[in-house]
Amino acid sequence: KGVAAGCVGSARERRFAKKAQALADARERLAALRVTPTEARRHGIAVNRDGIRRSAADLLRYPGVDLARLASIWPELATVPADVAEQAEIDARYAGYVERQAADIRAFRRDESLMLPPDLDYGTVGSLSTEGRQRLEATRPATLGAAARVPGVTPAALVALLRHVRRRDDRLSA
């Protein structure tokens, strides 16, 4: 978009494309390189002795493990440029959070049309901030999707609201 709008020059576009390709290559390599728990422990990386082979990307999630340390197991990782290594380490550390958030988004999209009871007492919904509760009480949205569009209602509040309504429905149907 930046190139199309004329605010990103061709030199910067080439640098970005080159780094993006190097990062994709590094991610692929990190996913392909695998080690047993015994081999990891032999290199000073304490993992559970569960027999599960872990990828280099998995090992980056452990405290104190970085690409430089993994290069002692797989020397070919020493050739990864520093800026790419830094981004790969960040990606690996946050991968679990990103996956969890993606799952939350998929679940929300599935439940976006969930009808909220018109008589819902927002004061009984746990984990709602005072601001969120007040705004929901004032607007009384009809669906979870409508609640998502209320300013001041956070994703965490939506998850709490979803759980509360489901529990309420379960109790009423029991």
Side-chain angles (χ1 to χ4, degrees):
K1 288 182 180 183
V3 172
C7 54
V8 173
S10 59
R12 188 171 186 183
E13 178 186 17
R14 282 192 303 276
R15 280 194 315 272
F16 176 81
K18 182 178 175 183
K19 183 176 179 181
Q21 184 59 54
L23 186 56
D25 293 345
R27 285 179 182 142
E28 189 176 308
R29 194 177 322 166
L30 290 167
L33 297 170
R34 299 200 165 271
V35 67
T36 65
T38 303
E39 292 167 334
R41 285 180 170 275
R42 195 174 316 130
H43 289 279
I45 302 172
V47 298
N48 290 337
R49 295 180 188 204
D50 51 13
I52 297 172
R53 294 179 67 85
R54 288 171 176 78
S55 70
D58 294 334
L59 295 177
L60 282 174
R61 296 180 185 182
Y62 286 78
V65 177
D66 59 10
L67 227 57
R69 185 160 179 201
L70 293 181
S72 69
I73 302 171
W74 299 287
E76 64 265 35
L77 293 178
T79 62
V80 175
D83 60 335
V84 173
E86 179 183 25
Q87 187 63 54
E89 290 168 5
I90 291 168
D91 291 351
R93 291 210 191 336
Y94 288 97
Y97 299 106
V98 171
E99 290 164 10
R100 194 171 323 134
Q101 188 172 41
D104 286 346
I105 290 168
R106 284 190 303 275
F108 174 75
R109 287 197 175 129
R110 236 185 359 257
D111 297 317
E112 191 172 16
S113 61
L114 176 74
M115 298 299 292
L116 299 177
D119 64 338
L120 181 62
D121 178 3
Y122 291 99
T124 63
V125 179
S127 302
L128 282 184
S129 67
T130 301
E131 177 191 12
R133 184 173 44 259
Q134 289 171 345
R135 289 181 183 231
L136 288 167
E137 286 170 350
T139 58
R140 310 252 6 127
T143 65
L144 191 64
R149 292 183 284 281
V150 173
V153 176
T154 65
L158 293 171
V159 171
L161 186 57
L162 172 64
R163 288 185 181 141
H164 180 82
V165 171
R166 280 200 176 147
R167 274 195 307 265
R168 175 186 157 143
D169 289 348
D170 289 345
R171 282 192 307 267
L172 292 175
S173 65

